[in-house]
């Protein structure tokens, strides 16, 4: 998707602070972190949101969670705890319409009733 910001980061047309990359995923630091560690785990294929997942994406999404758990272990927050978030759609606060998993950690994270 030419106009998609995350597709442009994947294509290296826009710079990002890349933490990890393989053939299926790119992981980079959020430009506006809300926790000491705030990474975005992004499948390279353009899927707009969780709402657009198809049965064929099952393996990819499974791998995305495995990657999150590997990163948490490597960052030393596996046992301390962390948070994984998908924002979905307007009320879910999704700004970038390319599926991504937020990994937040490094402190006790607040939880509110909204
Ligand atoms: P969401 O609201 O779930 O769509 O999250 C989008 C996230 O992308 C926000 O936390 C932004 O701070 C982050 N973001 C936007 N532009 C960039 C960028 N160029 N590099 C890294 N993170 C970005
Ligand atoms: Zn995209």
């Amino acid at each position: 998707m030419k106009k998609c910001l995350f597709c442009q980061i994947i294509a290296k047309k826009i710079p990002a602070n890349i933490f990890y990359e393989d053939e299926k995923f790119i992981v980079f630091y959020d430009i506006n972190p809300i926790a000491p560690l705030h990474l975005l785990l992004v499948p390279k294929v353009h899927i707009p949101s969780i709402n657009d997942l198809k049965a064929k994406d099952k393996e990819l999404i499974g791998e995305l969670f495995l990657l999150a758990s590997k990163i948490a272990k490597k960052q030393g927050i596996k046992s301390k705890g962390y948070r994984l978030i998908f924002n979905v759609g307007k009320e879910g606060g999704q700004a970038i319409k390319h599926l991504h998993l937020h990994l937040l950690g490094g402190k006790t994270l607040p939880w509110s009733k909204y």
Side-chain angles (χ1 to χ4, degrees):
M1 277 271 285
K2 269 190 183 166
K3 278 197 283 180
C4 169
L5 177 69
F6 285 180
C7 280
Q8 287 178 286
I9 288 175
I10 291 159
K12 308 280 158 60
K13 287 184 178 143
I14 289 178
N17 192 356
I18 297 172
F19 174 91
Y20 171 84
E21 185 172 12
D22 62 25
E23 66 283 357
K24 287 184 186 166
F25 302 100
I26 188 163
V27 179
F28 50 89
Y29 289 93
D30 196 293
I31 206 166
N32 187 20
I34 59 166
L37 179 66
H38 187 170
L39 292 169
L40 300 173
L41 284 63
V42 185
K44 288 188 170 177
V45 61
H46 182 88
I47 300 170
S49 88
I50 288 286
N51 286 338
D52 302 291
L53 286 177
K54 306 273 187 293
K56 67 173 169 55
D57 302 317
K58 265 194 287 190
E59 198 176 318
L60 184 75
I61 297 304
E63 286 174 18
L64 179 60
F65 281 109
L66 283 172
L67 179 59
S69 115
K70 270 185 206 156
I71 290 173
K73 188 176 178 187
K74 268 206 153 179
Q75 291 299 108
I77 58 171
K78 179 183 172 180
S79 58
K80 286 184 200 164
Y82 54 98
R83 185 168 295 161
L84 299 174
I85 300 174
F86 286 109
N87 291 327
V88 184
K90 198 174 165 208
E91 291 199 358
Q94 184 180 3
I96 310 285
K97 288 166 187 63
H98 180 129
L99 188 143
H100 53 281
L101 182 60
H102 294 257
L103 190 160
L104 303 169
K107 69 169 190 179
T108 298
L109 299 163
W111 187 251
S112 87
K113 214 175 166 192
Y114 301 108

